[in-house]
Amino acid sequence: MTTAEREPWLLTPGPLTTTIETKKAMLHDWGSRDEEFNETNARLRRRLLAIAGAEDSHVCVTLQGSGTFIVEAAMATLIPRDGKSLVLINGAYGERMVKILDYLGRSHISHKTPEDTPCDIGLLDQALAADPAITHVLVIHCETTSGLLNPVEAVAAITAKHRRALIVDSMSAFGALPLDVKSVPCDAVMASANKCLEGVPGMGFALIRRAALERAKGNAHSLSLDLYDQWTAMEKTRQWRFTPPTHVIAAFDRALDQFEAEGGVKGRGSRYADNCRTLVDGMREMGFKTLLADEIQAPIIITFLTPADTKFDFQVFYDLLKDRGYVIYPGKLTVADSFRIGCMGALGETEIRGALDAVRATITEMGVADCAPGNS
Ligand SMILES: *Cc1c(COP(=O)(O)O)cnc(C)c1O
């Protein structure tokens, strides 16, 4: 197939490229009360718990919508109305949690580190010691804004030491980077179908400590986002409260077959790590610079600084790459001009090498002689 006939490869943080098997799982209509569908749903929830070693301590609550819906729902359900949150911010998704708390009218403070700097464990320790009113710590596992990996094990250890609750947005890491609730004790970890687990968009899930959810009745301000209600209804009837995203669930279950066949978190993580290394090495050879040092780079999405060469224009670069069959992602940094290339999804070495060839051809076509960023 030529690139014009083939769908472009999505080098994005989700929705991302899914396999043909996953897409084929959607070629059927299910009744929402169908017993086979209920069984798929129950199996899916069990499998998601197992990924985090959470079968004994946590329950899996699923929810319709994009990732933000499950983040907002978990926060609204678990943080009591008189709770106080400390949000660790180093990018747009941490900022979004603060915005959610503002909407919810829940008290909060935040600690901000620059977009290229992991959250500060020492400061967290001091803040929790100094303010006994803080009930919840909120952290982003992989900050998709930059691709930065936050030290969630250390955050969890400090939070547990001070006997506060931890909520982890692991949206863009879950399934590719290890997160076991025994080594990262937390009340909730949230993710969605369409990131590292390589399903299609339309639902999220939260793994919630059973004891915390049992105490959460009446916290939520919203019926559709009340995960306590969603959980108790699903336990009782095996069904979703409101119209379930049937096709998304079927595709997700099929995507998990492939995830398990690939060796789970270990297998998926190592494919993404290989993708990341191939991509970064190839881009550096052309003169591009990454925002992050390799030690804090998660193998999910990589931020490259925009070349200083005036012939470089992101929209032109994007369009020409898309013509060659590869879709990249704009930058989201507030501090520097940048763009992002994802290495997650149903992609391997062939596709990453193809993307590098496309980048090389594109910068030549644009007449960009030097891919180095300005001395910012
Ligand atoms: C993708 C993502 C979300 C959810 O974003 P949606 O656009 O609502 O799916 C939340 N947090 C992080 C860290 C993400 O990468």
Side-chain angles (χ1 to χ4, degrees):
M1 272 193 282
T2 68
T3 52
E5 293 160 355
R6 205 196 64 204
E7 291 180 36
W9 299 101
L10 301 181
L11 303 173
T12 60
L16 35 70
T17 296
T18 58
T19 65
I20 197 76
E21 293 99 283
T22 298
K23 286 189 261 280
K24 276 188 187 160
M26 294 184 282
L27 296 176
H28 185 77
D29 300 313
W30 291 264
S32 60
R33 293 163 169 272
D34 183 307
E35 199 35 48
E36 198 187 328
F37 172 71
N38 288 345
E39 187 41 48
T40 303
N41 191 50
R43 178 172 61 241
L44 179 69
R45 292 173 65 214
R46 287 193 300 270
R47 295 170 106 177
L48 294 171
L49 280 171
I51 295 171
E55 303 96 315
D56 297 333
S57 51
H58 290 57
V59 297
C60 175
V61 191
T62 49
L63 185 73
Q64 300 92 334
S66 85
T68 305
F69 290 60
I70 191 69
V71 172
E72 182 160 6
M75 290 168 64
T77 303
L78 292 173
I79 302 168
R81 296 189 189 202
D82 61 355
K84 179 173 181 181
S85 300
L86 167 57
V87 188
L88 303 175
I89 303 177
N90 42 16
Y93 292 98
E95 301 280 5
R96 189 175 294 173
M97 283 180 144
V98 167
K99 204 168 184 180
I100 290 170
L101 289 164
D102 284 336
Y103 266 81
L104 295 176
R106 305 281 206 278
S107 168
H108 60 83
I109 56 170
S110 56
H111 276 183
K112 222 163 159 168
T113 44
E115 286 163 331
D116 60 357
T117 309
C119 58
D120 189 324
I121 300 302
L123 265 181
L124 172 64
D125 195 14
Q126 285 168 26
L128 293 179
D131 188 350
I134 295 169
T135 54
H136 289 74
V137 174
L138 277 54
V139 68
I140 309 290
H141 191 178
C142 166
E143 225 332 324
T144 322
T145 309
S146 58
L148 178 149
L149 181 62
N150 273 313
V152 284
E153 285 85 0
V155 169
I158 296 292
T159 306
K161 181 183 100 177
H162 291 278
R163 308 179 72 81
R164 314 301 166 83
L166 178 67
I167 296 179
V168 184
D169 171 354
S170 185
M171 203 71 56
S172 64
F174 194 85
L177 296 173
L179 194 163
D180 190 297
V181 297
K182 291 185 276 301
S183 45
V184 183
C186 58
D187 272 12
V189 38
M190 297 83 75
S192 70
N194 65 281
K195 296 213 174 174
C196 303
L197 294 173
E198 300 184 3
V200 303
M203 66 174 282
F205 59 92
L207 309 181
I208 304 180
R209 193 190 299 282
R210 179 186 282 273
L213 191 54
E214 281 168 350
R215 282 196 304 272
K217 186 177 182 177
N219 282 346
H221 64 301
S222 152
L223 172 66
S224 56
L225 297 182
D226 185 352
L227 295 184
Y228 177 84
D229 200 48
Q230 180 85 331
W231 174 56
T232 48
M234 207 176 275
E235 289 296 303
K236 207 183 304 168
T237 65
R238 290 165 62 81
Q239 289 166 22
W240 291 54
R241 281 181 306 168
F242 312 126
T243 303
T246 44
H247 296 71
V248 177
I249 291 163
F252 200 4
D253 188 52
R254 191 72 59 82
L256 289 185
D257 292 343
Q258 297 158 70
F259 169 76
E260 285 166 12
E262 191 175 8
V265 174
K266 215 162 174 204
R268 176 114 340 150
S270 75
R271 174 162 58 84
Y272 287 5
D274 289 346
N275 285 350
C276 180
R277 201 166 314 116
T278 305
L279 178 67
V280 167
D281 287 352
M283 292 291 283
R284 282 180 180 154
E285 258 167 46
M286 285 181 248
F288 287 99
K289 290 240 158 18
T290 58
L291 170 75
L292 300 177
D294 294 348
E295 309 78 68
I296 55 169
Q297 173 72 61
I300 304 296
I301 188 161
I302 296 96
T303 298
F304 295 98
L305 299 171
T306 301
D309 191 321
T310 53
K311 295 243 178 65
F312 187 90
D313 176 90
F314 176 74
Q315 195 56 49
V316 175
F317 183 61
Y318 177 97
D319 291 341
L320 292 173
L321 280 177
K322 176 143 190 243
D323 290 345
R324 291 185 163 91
Y326 299 89
V327 172
I328 63 165
Y329 219 56
K332 203 174 184 160
L333 296 184
T334 53
V335 293
D337 276 342
S338 62
F339 62 90
R340 290 176 287 175
I341 304 184
C343 53
M344 60 206 288
L347 310 164
E349 175 156 7
T350 309
E351 290 73 37
I352 299 293
R353 294 217 179 273
L356 288 167
D357 289 343
V359 168
R360 214 171 284 116
T362 299
I363 56 175
T364 304
E365 185 179 345
M366 291 169 75
V368 174
D370 183 0
C371 294
N375 45 359
S376 55

